[in-house]
């Protein structure tokens, strides 16, 4: 009976990630199709439409004629109560990952406890904390494993070791709980 259970677990570990990946992809495609009211067309047309629309918006946004309107709209969003908190947080988060001012491009290892020799991996997001009257500190963001959250630490510079590794590999390593290889 124990051997059968081990076979079951082994099969589950193989099928579950593949099945969940396929499910998430199909659910996203189905959601995009319904968003664009494309129920009677081949699956994936919503995804294709979204890609085309986002590309067009990106192209138009780069136009010097449209740029002033985007700046005005962004100012309005930043000044609207409650909306400003949500918008600015989301904008900063997206910019940190894919914008022109990517923040997660400087992976580090920091010493959390020197006596026990405990280290934590993260990303330097601010190299100078002068605005907080602490120029001796750096801001290090440490994402949580298997989650879309993390913690921000202000750490003495001497406790931070910069890594010569691609940030995407370090992020994958941290988010996977150390299961992925560096």
């Amino acid at each position: 009976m124990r051997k059968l259970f081990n076979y079951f677990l082994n099969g589950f570990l193989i099928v579950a990630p593949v099945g969940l990946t396929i499910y998430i992809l199909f659910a996203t495609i189905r959601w995009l199709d319904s968003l664009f009211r494309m129920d009677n067309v081949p699956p994936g047309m919503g995804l294709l439409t979204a890609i085309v629309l986002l590309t067009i918006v990106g192209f138009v946004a780069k136009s010097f004629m449209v740029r002033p309107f985007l700046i005005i709209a962004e100012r309005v969003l930043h000044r609207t109560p409650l909306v400003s908190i949500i918008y600015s947080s989301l904008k900063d988060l997206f910019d940190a990952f894919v914008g022109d001012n990517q923040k997660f491009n400087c992976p580090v290892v920091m010493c959390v406890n020197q006596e026990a020799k405990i280290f934590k991996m993260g990303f330097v997001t601010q190299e100078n904390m002068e605005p907080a009257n602490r120029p001796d500190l750096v801001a290090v963001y440490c994402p949580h494993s298997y989650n879309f959250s993390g913690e921000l630490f202000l750490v003495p510079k001497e406790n931070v070791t910069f890594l010569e590794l691609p940030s995407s590999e370090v992020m994958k390593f941290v988010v996977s709980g150390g299961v992925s290889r560096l």
Side-chain angles (χ1 to χ4, degrees):
M1 194 63 163
R2 187 177 181 104
K3 206 171 200 177
L4 284 175
F5 183 69
N6 284 338
Y7 288 149
F8 168 78
L9 283 179
N10 199 19
F12 180 77
L13 291 173
I14 292 170
V15 172
V18 173
L20 285 172
T21 301
I22 292 170
Y23 173 78
I24 290 169
L25 288 174
F26 277 114
T28 302
I29 289 171
R30 202 173 28 228
W31 175 73
L32 285 169
D33 286 346
S34 69
L35 187 68
F36 293 106
R37 306 224 189 278
M38 297 190 165
D39 297 326
N40 298 327
V41 294
M45 288 305 290
L47 177 63
L48 182 62
T49 303
I51 290 171
V52 169
L53 285 175
L54 289 173
T55 304
I56 291 170
V57 167
F59 174 75
V60 171
K62 287 290 185 182
S63 165
F64 70 93
M65 302 277 288
V66 176
R67 198 80 183 134
F69 295 111
L70 291 175
I71 292 170
I72 291 169
E74 191 166 286
R75 282 185 190 151
V76 169
L77 289 171
H78 277 292
R79 291 183 180 163
T80 307
L82 187 64
V83 172
S84 66
I85 296 169
I86 298 168
Y87 174 76
S88 63
S89 297
L90 288 173
K91 179 145 179 46
D92 289 346
L93 182 66
F94 280 104
D95 282 346
F97 281 105
V98 293
D100 293 333
N101 302 322
Q102 290 183 10
K103 295 289 185 186
F104 300 122
N105 57 1
C106 192
V108 295
V109 171
M110 67 177 185
C111 183
V112 179
N113 184 325
Q114 289 186 348
E115 290 175 18
K117 296 196 185 317
I118 298 174
F119 297 89
K120 195 164 190 159
M121 293 180 103
F123 300 88
V124 171
T125 56
Q126 299 288 325
E127 289 191 40
N128 186 344
M129 293 306 299
E130 184 71 44
N133 294 323
R134 293 300 307 263
D136 58 319
L137 300 179
V138 294
V140 178
Y141 175 75
C142 298
H144 289 148
S145 299
Y146 299 107
N147 206 340
F148 291 104
S149 64
E151 296 177 279
L152 179 67
F153 295 93
L154 300 180
V155 188
K157 290 179 183 176
E158 61 268 8
N159 286 6
V160 175
T161 304
F162 291 85
L163 299 173
E164 296 293 326
L165 295 168
S167 7
S168 59
E169 292 299 312
V170 173
M171 182 67 85
K172 186 169 58 171
F173 179 78
V174 172
V175 171
S176 75
V179 176
S180 294
R181 290 182 165 255
L182 277 176

